Amino acid sequence: MSTTTALAQTPIDQLDPKEFIVIKGARVNNLKNLSVAIPRNKLVVVTGLSGSGKSSLAFDTLFAEGQRMYVESLSSYARQFLGRMEKPEVDYIKGVSPAIAIEQKVSSRNPRSTVGTTTEIYDYLKLLFARIGKTISPISGQEVQRDSVTSIVEFILSKEEGTRLMILCPLITKEERTLEEELNILLQKGYTRVIYSGEPRFIEELPEKPDQLIENEIEILIDRGIVQHDEDSQFRFSDSVQTALFEGQGDCIIEIPGDKRYAFSDRFEADGMLFEEPSVNLFTFNNPYGACKRCEGFGKILGIDPDLVIPDKTLSVFEGAIAPWRSETMKKWLQPLLKHGIEFDFPIHRSYNELTEAEQELLWTGNKYFKGLNKFFDYLESKTHKIQYRVMLSRYRGRTDCPECKGTRLRGDAAYVKVGGKSITDLVLLPIERVALFFNELSLTAHEQKVAGRLIKEIVNRVDYLQRVGLGYLTLNRLTNTLSGGEFQRIKLATSLGSALVGSMYILDEPSIGLHPRDTDRLISVLKFISERLGVSELSKFESKTVPLSLIKS
């Protein structure tokens, strides 16, 4: 007797719930008192004609009971936030595990939800950039660093023994005090000397009349000493440097006579710019701190839509590619461009889609020969008290990428923080397959690897699953509500598989629908791969040939 026949002839009440999910008397929707045993720890496919009750068995019975049992295991305090879940119409279900349903429909309508946030990859990216990101000045291209007491003292002790030096700081005058009062307060604090016009001077010897002093040339002499590589010198210099940073409100100057002056600051700044230190909130567009101020973290604004302004990109400027400048009343904006285009080498007869990016941008910004589209629409804005101008503006308005954040939703200075030469905004705009390539080639120091090793491992795993299910062409910045049902289901599948939950029951709703056979094979390979990781033995096909439902005894 075969295993299938033996199973079919075994009373369902006697089947072991450790080996089977046992359902008896299911009467949900199209199920007519169905009793069935589904093998555990296997990949099971439920097939049948439309309306035969596949979804009723998988979702309305199995998933509903798995969710209900999980919620019932929580505390009464937690259950009050989840609501009451009704028991499916069935005699009993045994051996069911906590269930995760992955359906075709896109369930997220949140305008801030993206592929990155849905898969949790973006959460790990935020942590990665906050932990090991280096802030690069856009002016000099140098890394921005904050000086500390320790780093300044280390610099002092790096000099040869016997080196003479002075520890200085600028004199900061409070708004409510005069320069004379500030100097008197210095005397009360115990300071006796200042550096004035580059020369050490006793405070009492300075001119009595404040108008004879140049305030910006006065520096407080905190300490003078000789470099000694011993513990006493280290403590002394540490105390002096800390005092200089306090009195100078973040600035400290080390002057070595005969050498040069070295400026230090404990502010996070460089090249005259004050930068924000990397933190998780800096990279969070759902937080007012990190969101772009222009679009408030949505990435889109109501503005002039370039696709409406230039609808047919196969036309040239001469042929009327710019739609608002076609009318007789607005041709005056086009004529200077046609007349003087030869003077700045602009190809007015070349189709718009063949123009370089610089030439396309020039149409919007203009130059000394003609006023661009930006000034044209500014002119229309100034005339909105007239209905014809309001009507014209409305024709070319639409949801467009925010010009400040370029659709990335983050404040601009978040792009100054880089890991491996790329910012977080660069990564979210790349296709996922290129993100995977970036992390495969990323080289970190031993310290960075120790700090971020676990984060990178989680990112790489999730990116790998997305590629395995055929979604390597998506970007992490892609809105979730713009995905197809199949794409969204595969994203949820990759997210769930990336979590590697053990002992859970995954229920997929036609995961291969709409897929090319090549992608179907890739999806099956993913299911087999995760099955091997979780100890699932084989791929089983649940249909009448495997477990004849008519032979199962109730």
Side-chain angles (χ1 to χ4, degrees):
M1 183 181 297
S2 66
T3 304
T4 300
T5 305
L7 174 62
Q9 294 181 350
T10 304
I12 199 167
D13 295 331
Q14 298 178 14
L15 293 176
D16 187 356
K18 293 182 180 180
E19 297 182 10
F20 298 94
I21 301 174
V22 180
I23 303 174
K24 183 176 181 180
R27 297 177 294 278
V28 179
N29 298 332
N30 293 343
L31 301 179
K32 305 302 181 184
N33 204 37
L34 174 68
S35 296
V36 64
I38 301 174
R40 290 173 58 87
N41 297 327
K42 295 183 185 296
L43 290 170
V44 179
V45 179
V46 181
T47 63
L49 299 174
S50 178
S52 61
K54 302 185 300 296
S55 296
S56 296
L57 174 64
F59 289 97
D60 299 330
T61 304
L62 268 179
F63 173 67
E65 180 65 5
Q67 284 288 86
R68 188 191 68 80
M69 292 177 64
Y70 172 71
V71 170
E72 289 297 320
S73 69
L74 301 176
S75 66
S76 57
Y77 176 78
R79 290 201 302 272
Q80 68 177 327
F81 299 105
L82 298 175
R84 181 176 177 80
M85 304 186 73
E86 298 296 332
K87 182 178 175 65
E89 192 174 355
V90 62
D91 291 347
Y92 64 76
I93 302 178
K94 296 179 181 179
V96 68
S97 303
I100 298 172
I102 304 175
E103 300 181 82
Q104 280 278 344
K105 62 182 180 181
V106 180
S107 58
S108 175
R109 300 297 174 189
N110 187 340
R112 298 181 189 271
S113 178
T114 66
V115 171
T117 58
T118 302
T119 58
E120 300 176 351
I121 293 174
Y122 192 75
D123 296 320
Y124 288 106
L125 281 177
K126 291 189 297 184
L127 285 170
L128 178 70
F129 277 82
R131 297 293 181 269
I132 65 170
K134 296 179 179 178
T135 303
I136 307 298
S137 169
I139 298 175
S140 64
Q142 300 298 314
E143 182 181 353
V144 181
Q145 292 182 325
R146 178 199 295 272
D147 294 313
S148 64
V149 173
T150 302
S151 64
I152 299 174
V153 172
E154 287 177 352
F155 168 79
I156 293 174
L157 296 178
S158 67
K159 300 299 180 181
E160 294 182 1
E161 283 198 356
T163 303
R164 294 181 176 274
L165 57 83
M166 294 187 294
I167 300 176
L168 318 170
C169 73
L171 176 64
I172 308 296
T173 304
K174 302 290 191 297
E175 291 184 2
E176 66 276 8
R177 298 174 188 166
T178 64
L179 179 57
E180 184 178 4
E181 290 173 339
E182 201 70 59
L183 291 173
N184 288 331
I185 291 174
L186 285 181
L187 286 171
Q188 295 171 17
K189 288 180 178 179
Y191 298 106
T192 59
R193 292 182 177 88
V194 295
I195 302 297
Y196 181 63
S197 297
E199 296 293 332
R201 301 278 294 273
F202 284 101
I203 295 177
E204 294 91 339
E205 295 177 356
L206 292 174
E208 295 182 359
K209 295 182 180 180
D211 57 358
Q212 296 178 357
L213 295 172
I214 302 175
E215 183 177 336
N216 293 337
E217 293 188 9
I218 301 177
E219 295 169 336
I220 306 172
L221 178 55
I222 304 295
D223 193 7
R224 294 188 298 180
I226 300 175
V227 175
Q228 298 290 336
H229 297 165
D230 55 32
E231 191 172 331
D232 291 339
S233 294
Q234 182 177 353
F235 285 138
R236 174 182 172 180
F237 289 137
S238 296
D239 183 64
S240 299
V241 167
Q242 190 169 13
T243 303
L245 292 173
F246 174 77
E247 295 289 354
Q249 297 185 6
D251 289 318
C252 173
I253 300 167
I254 307 297
E255 181 171 338
I256 300 176
D259 188 1
K260 65 177 183 178
R261 296 159 59 93
Y262 299 89
F264 299 91
S265 173
D266 67 354
R267 295 187 298 273
F268 200 63
E269 62 181 11
D271 303 321
M273 293 179 62
L274 185 63
F275 295 86
E276 293 291 335
E277 292 196 67
S279 66
V280 173
N281 285 339
L282 180 63
F283 308 109
T284 305
F285 51 78
N286 291 332
N287 187 302
Y289 183 79
C292 170
K293 299 298 183 288
R294 177 77 179 273
C295 64
E296 299 181 341
F298 287 97
K300 298 282 186 180
I301 62 169
L302 183 61
I304 302 302
D305 189 344
D307 291 332
L308 296 177
V309 176
I310 306 175
D312 188 352
K313 294 176 175 52
T314 62
L315 298 178
S316 66
V317 171
F318 183 81
E319 294 170 328
I322 304 174
W325 289 356
R326 294 174 186 169
S327 65
E328 290 298 326
T329 56
M330 295 302 169
K331 274 189 176 179
K332 61 182 181 181
W333 292 83
L334 177 63
Q335 291 304 324
L337 173 60
L338 300 180
K339 182 178 179 181
H340 300 289
I342 192 172
E343 297 183 38
F344 52 94
D345 198 26
F346 186 88
I348 60 174
H349 295 287
R350 186 181 301 166
S351 62
Y352 178 83
N353 55 13
E354 293 179 352
L355 298 178
T356 65
E357 289 187 12
E359 290 168 343
Q360 292 177 1
E361 184 67 19
L362 185 62
L363 293 177
W364 290 87
T365 58
N367 57 26
K368 67 178 182 179
Y369 297 100
F370 79 104
K371 296 178 180 178
L373 284 165
N374 290 335
K375 288 188 177 179
F376 169 72
F377 285 108
D378 289 342
Y379 169 77
L380 295 186
E381 290 280 2
S382 68
K383 299 290 185 180
T384 51
H385 60 282
K386 296 182 180 180
I387 189 169
Q388 63 266 35
Y389 291 105
R390 293 201 300 272
V391 170
M392 177 170 283
L393 270 174
S394 66
R395 292 175 184 169
Y396 303 106
R397 286 194 184 278
R399 300 289 293 177
T400 61
D401 284 344
C402 173
E404 289 192 13
C405 67
K406 309 300 182 185
T408 61
R409 303 174 175 83
L410 290 174
R411 52 190 288 178
D413 51 358
Y416 299 153
V417 184
K418 299 182 184 295
V419 171
K422 289 192 179 294
S423 67
I424 195 170
T425 55
D426 294 332
L427 291 181
V428 299
L429 294 176
L430 288 177
I432 288 171
E433 56 192 9
R434 291 184 59 188
V435 174
L437 183 63
F438 167 79
F439 280 101
N440 288 335
E441 297 176 349
L442 182 62
S443 177
L444 300 177
T445 64
H447 173 70
E448 290 172 337
Q449 184 64 40
K450 185 176 180 181
V451 172
R454 180 63 183 177
L455 297 174
I456 293 177
K457 181 179 179 181
E458 292 291 343
I459 293 171
V460 170
N461 282 344
R462 283 165 167 75
V463 167
D464 181 55
Y465 281 126
L466 287 173
Q467 290 192 99
R468 285 174 178 269
V469 296
L471 297 178
Y473 59 89
L474 294 178
T475 66
L476 295 175
N477 201 48
R478 173 78 174 268
L479 285 174
T480 304
N481 56 22
T482 65
L483 299 173
S484 68
E487 287 174 330
F488 183 75
Q489 186 187 35
R490 282 181 281 159
I491 280 180
K492 295 296 290 181
L493 175 62
T495 304
S496 300
L497 297 182
S499 302
L501 297 175
V502 178
S504 298
M505 177 173 58
Y506 292 90
I507 301 177
L508 282 65
D509 179 18
E510 299 182 356
S512 62
I513 192 170
L515 291 183
H516 188 276
R518 178 188 64 251
D519 292 325
T520 302
D521 291 338
R522 295 173 68 178
L523 180 61
I524 293 173
S525 70
V526 171
L527 296 176
K528 287 182 176 180
F529 174 75
I530 195 64
S531 299
E532 293 171 359
R533 286 189 59 187
L534 300 182
V536 178
S537 57
E538 60 183 279
L539 178 65
S540 296
K541 199 171 186 181
F542 173 59
E543 54 183 344
S544 58
K545 293 180 181 178
T546 305
V547 186
L549 304 183
S550 60
L551 297 180
I552 293 180
K553 298 179 180 179
S554 60

